[in-house]
Amino acid sequence: MSNAQAPAPTSRREQILREAARLFAERGFHGVGVDEIGAAVGISGPGLYRHFAGKDAMLAELLVGISERLLAGGRMRVAEGGESPEAVLRALIDGHIDFALDDRPLITLHDRELDRLRETDRKRVRQLQRQYVELWVEVVREVYPVCVEAEARSAVHAVFGLLNSTPHLSARAGLPPRAATESLLKRLALGAFAAAADRDQLPVK
């Protein structure tokens, strides 16, 4: 008999959040009603209020939640370390690529709907994001000591922009399978950091 554990079942709350993220990303926050979110998970619209106070609460949990998970995952990878700072940087990149490929609706939501959060939630998201960036900056500077702090921070933001472009990608555009896409994104991210540290590289004319 196998000792492998079955994946934990998805809770109703998680189902609601997943469908809300998908619908908000597809049609915009104001283009989706509570009844439609309820229908997507097989419950009545009013039944959602047993789980959330309303759409605003769903949006806040989605955006604050993903920021918390990214930071926690990044800290875990740094704490686990590796055989070298380069290995830690690769682990951080791998984790962010998983997010960029698996949670595309949340990237779209952040870009479009962050300003809809109440001020306290928006500040919390920004605080978590700053901590996540600084986590990367420290690792990048370990790998590339030639990079001053400002350069490393700019490079981290640029790499995030590259990886977070996945919502704009489409299978119809001829994307390779997931494994190939992961490999491509990783090469691009590593190449971007190496380029930031290359003092001899000439600017593009």
Side-chain angles (χ1 to χ4, degrees), residues 72-144:
R75 285 173 170 168
M76 179 188 70
R77 290 176 174 85
V78 171
E80 289 176 347
E83 57 188 26
S84 65
E86 288 82 1
V88 176
L89 180 59
R90 289 172 184 270
L92 286 174
I93 291 171
D94 286 344
H96 200 95
I97 288 173
D98 284 341
F99 157 68
L101 292 176
D102 295 336
D103 293 298
R104 297 188 198 189
L106 293 178
I107 297 174
T108 300
L109 276 187
H110 178 275
D111 290 345
R112 293 181 184 171
E113 313 290 359
L114 181 63
D115 288 344
R116 299 192 188 281
L117 295 182
R118 61 183 181 178
E119 185 177 1
T120 54
D121 290 327
R122 189 167 59 252
K123 285 183 176 179
R124 176 63 175 157
V125 169
R126 294 300 192 195
Q127 177 189 51
L128 292 164
Q129 290 174 337
R130 285 194 296 271
Q131 292 176 38
Y132 185 56
V133 168
E134 295 310 309
L135 192 75
W136 280 64
V137 169
E138 290 182 13
V139 176
V140 169
R141 295 195 69 201
E142 285 188 59
V143 178
Y144 299 108

Side-chain angles (χ1 to χ4, degrees), residues 25-56:
E26 288 178 357
R27 293 159 49 191
F29 181 75
H30 287 305
V32 179
V34 171
D35 288 342
E36 294 167 278
I37 299 172
V41 295
I43 62 178
S44 67
L48 288 180
Y49 293 107
R50 292 196 297 269
H51 302 277
F52 296 96
K55 290 197 307 177
D56 289 337

Side-chain angles (χ1 to χ4, degrees), residues 43-69:
I43 62 178
S44 67
L48 288 180
Y49 293 107
R50 292 196 297 269
H51 302 277
F52 296 96
K55 290 197 307 177
D56 289 337
M58 294 179 208
L59 182 64
E61 185 154 336
L62 285 166
L63 294 182
V64 174
I66 191 55
S67 296
E68 290 174 339
R69 292 197 299 276

